[in-house]
């Protein structure tokens, strides 16, 4: 245990000293973390000997995702978000259902070894985008504010929305719909997951924000303990919602949005430590993913799995986004940019563990496809994030200057 702890602690220390330099390059943190996991795992030097079961990976991924969702939402620019709210609404209400539908359709055409409900599960597992992997884009100020905030809200809400959809398809695949029928089951799960998640996130955050404001006004907060409340609140929102049968991810994101609005004047000092904690947990998650999951899966990828994974990151994601943004006023490159930057990560890992841990037969190909898609996403989105974000931002700015010059000339 101590060898593993020393290895991870040393890597965290080393990466923290060069994180700023790496973030300015085409290499993303997730590439470094996963690559390190492969290097020190059983497939490489076999130095990391942690016995990691499914529940450990699921818990770590869930906690990391909840914290990242909360902090990203809390740091969102509400003014920009109000002006650009149509973008995430289009992506969530039109783009997300079309992505699941197209993913299911492609699966039906390509795969004949899985049932229809299993294919629907796979499409749902790969539909949500990842807030942690998308951070390189949503925090890059070269990207226009409306697109950054839109992608941030989409990644914050789509995994929570997909949770009840996943459970509906899983219940149908296992034959657990019961006498009420699939539609009743679907409505019940969606209402519970989203309704309870929103209620918990808003209720807990409202009470916590009022308490923190009072404590700050009375001078009760110390320099050390001011770093703790946001981490505790994010985890409380997630855990309470899960216990009550709601979506912890919806609770974390909605709680983060409300915290950003209620604690605007003290937001930065509370968020700083929480963001660092989230980044550290993400680092550890991806190291374990590279060591314990990717290392074992690499030899099991078939050409069909590779093909579906590549299509999931391109056509299956980008075409629905392009269709959903028709008439939005966003230029062609902007639509392609938004469509491409839908990385898959922590949410898909959590969904895969849920499905594999169920009694559903033949989950091996599903899990391998999810792992392959995430691995391809880490590499392709990590390499393209900074270069395309910078280039698109510069072209957008140049176009705005040209339009402004033309208006002045007239």
């Amino acid at each position: 245990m101590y060898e593993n702890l020393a290895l991870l602690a040393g890597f965290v220390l080393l990466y923290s000293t060069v994180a700023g330099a790496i973030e300015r390059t085409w290499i993303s943190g997730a590439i470094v973390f996963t690559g390190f996991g492969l290097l020190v795992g059983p497939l490489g030097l076999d130095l990391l000997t942690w016995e990691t079961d499914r529940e450990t990976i699921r818990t770590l991924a869930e906690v990391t995702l909840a914290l990242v969702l909360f902090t990203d939402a809390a740091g969102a620019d509400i003014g920009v978000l109000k002006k650009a709210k149509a973008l995430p609404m289009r992506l969530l209400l039109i783009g997300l259902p079309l992505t699941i539908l197209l993913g299911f359709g492609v699966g039906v055409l390509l795969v004949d070894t899985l049932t229809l409900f299993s294919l629907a599960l796979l499409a749902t597992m790969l539909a949500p985008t990842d807030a942690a992997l998308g951070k390189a884009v949503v925090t890059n100020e070269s990207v226009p504010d409306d697109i950054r905030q839109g992608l941030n809200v989409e990644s914050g809400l789509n995994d929570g929305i997909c949770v009840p959809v996943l459970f509906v398809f899983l219940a149908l695949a296992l034959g657990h719909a019961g006498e009420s029928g699939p539609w009743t089951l679907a409505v019940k799960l969606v209402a519970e997951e989203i309704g309870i998640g929103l209620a918990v996130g808003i209720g807990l955050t409202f009470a916590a924000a009022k308490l923190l404001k009072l404590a700050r006004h009375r001078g009760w907060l110390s320099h050390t303990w001011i770093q703790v409340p946001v981490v505790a609140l994010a985890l409380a929102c997630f855990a309470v919602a899960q216990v009550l049968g709601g979506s912890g991810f919806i609770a974390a994101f909605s709680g983060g949005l409300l915290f950003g609005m209620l604690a605007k004047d003290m937001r930065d000092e509370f968020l700083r430590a929480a963001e660092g904690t989230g980044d550290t947990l993400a680092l550890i998650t991806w190291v374990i993913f590279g060591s314990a999951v990717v290392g074992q899966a690499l030899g099991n990828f078939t050409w069909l799995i590779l093909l579906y994974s590549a299509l999931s990151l391109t056509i299956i994601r980008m075409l629905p986004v392009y269709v959903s943004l028709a008439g939005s006023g966003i230029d062609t490159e902007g639509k392609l940019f938004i469509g491409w930057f839908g990385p898959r990560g922590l949410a898909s890992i959590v969904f895969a563990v849920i499905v594999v841990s169920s009694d559903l037969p033949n989950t091996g190909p599903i899990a391998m496809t999810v792992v392959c898609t995430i691995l391809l996403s880490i590499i392709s989105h990590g390499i393209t994030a900074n270069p395309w974000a910078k280039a698109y931002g510069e072209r957008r700015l140049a176009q705005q200057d040209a339009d402004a010059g033309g208006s002045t000339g007239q």
Side-chain angles (χ1 to χ4, degrees):
M1 182 185 73
Y2 297 118
E3 291 177 1
N4 294 326
L5 184 59
L7 194 63
L8 284 174
F11 180 61
V12 170
L13 174 62
L14 179 63
Y15 184 81
S16 65
T17 63
V18 296
I22 290 177
E23 287 172 1
R24 291 191 292 270
T25 69
W26 57 267
I27 302 174
S28 72
I31 292 178
V32 178
F33 308 154
T34 307
F36 178 76
L38 275 170
L39 176 66
V40 300
L43 200 66
L45 301 176
D46 199 18
L47 298 176
L48 192 65
T49 56
W50 230 326
E51 292 295 331
T52 309
D53 58 16
R54 294 169 185 169
E55 273 307 306
T56 301
I57 296 175
R58 174 181 173 178
T59 302
L60 184 58
E62 284 183 336
V63 168
T64 304
L65 183 57
L67 187 53
V68 170
L69 288 175
F70 191 99
T71 55
D72 281 359
D77 189 323
I78 302 300
V80 174
L81 191 54
K82 286 179 179 178
K83 296 177 183 176
K85 62 183 179 182
L87 175 58
M89 287 180 65
R90 283 171 175 264
L91 294 173
L92 292 169
L93 299 181
I94 303 174
L96 181 59
L98 287 179
T99 298
I100 296 175
L101 186 61
L102 185 56
F104 172 74
V106 171
V108 170
L109 292 175
L110 292 179
V111 183
D112 57 6
T113 57
L114 295 175
T115 66
L116 292 179
F117 287 130
S118 294
L119 291 172
L121 275 172
L122 178 60
T124 306
M125 293 159 71
L126 293 176
T129 56
D130 185 82
L133 286 181
K135 202 167 186 177
V137 172
V138 300
T139 60
N140 192 325
E141 295 185 0
S142 300
V143 181
D145 286 342
D146 56 341
I147 291 179
R148 285 196 293 130
Q149 300 301 340
L151 285 171
N152 189 28
V153 173
E154 182 204 13
S155 64
L157 292 178
N158 59 13
D159 37 28
I161 293 172
C162 283
V163 168
V165 179
L166 180 85
F167 282 128
V168 168
F169 286 139
L170 184 57
L172 293 174
L174 294 171
H176 294 168
E179 298 179 358
S180 58
W183 289 109
T184 303
L185 175 68
V187 171
K188 179 176 180 290
L189 281 174
V190 170
E192 286 180 352
E193 293 280 342
I194 296 178
I196 293 174
L198 284 173
V200 169
I202 292 171
L204 283 181
T205 303
F206 182 82
K210 294 296 184 184
L211 178 61
L212 288 172
K213 280 191 172 185
L214 174 64
R216 190 168 182 260
H217 178 71
R218 296 288 179 87
W220 295 342
L221 294 171
S222 70
H223 179 71
T224 301
W225 284 96
I226 200 171
Q227 304 175 68
V228 175
V230 167
V231 176
L233 177 57
L235 298 183
C237 287
F238 172 78
V240 172
Q242 293 289 112
V243 168
L244 296 178
S247 169
F249 303 130
I250 290 285
F253 190 79
S254 60
L257 280 177
L258 183 61
F259 185 83
M261 290 186 283
L262 295 179
K264 189 181 299 183
D265 57 333
M266 56 182 184
R267 181 174 60 181
D268 291 343
E269 58 183 323
F270 277 107
L271 282 180
R272 194 172 298 116
E275 289 175 340
T277 303
D279 289 343
T280 303
L281 287 175
L283 184 157
I284 295 171
T285 303
W286 291 119
V287 169
I288 293 176
F289 176 75
S291 172
V293 180
V294 176
Q296 297 178 15
L298 280 179
N300 297 312
F301 294 154
T302 65
W303 69 268
L304 193 58
I305 287 175
L306 287 167
L307 176 60
Y308 187 91
S309 299
L311 290 174
S312 177
L313 297 177
T314 52
I315 300 298
I316 294 174
R317 157 73 182 181
M318 296 176 74
L319 183 58
V321 167
Y322 198 94
V323 170
S324 70
L325 297 179
S328 64
I330 298 175
D331 60 15
T332 299
E333 185 182 5
K335 293 174 184 174
L336 295 175
F337 182 88
I338 295 169
W340 172 242
F341 286 108
R344 311 311 198 284
L346 296 176
S348 294
I349 291 175
V350 172
F351 290 171
V353 175
I354 291 172
V355 172
V356 170
S357 301
S358 70
D359 296 325
L360 188 69
N362 197 26
T363 57
I366 298 176
M368 287 300 104
T369 304
V370 172
V371 172
C372 183
T373 305
I374 294 171
L375 184 59
L376 291 179
S377 178
I378 290 171
I379 297 170
S380 58
H381 290 115
I383 290 173
T384 57
N386 285 331
W388 194 359
K390 181 180 178 182
Y392 176 57
E394 290 175 350
R395 282 191 287 269
R396 176 90 173 246
L397 186 60
Q399 184 61 48
Q400 290 174 349
D401 290 342
D403 293 343
S407 301
T408 303
Q410 293 175 0

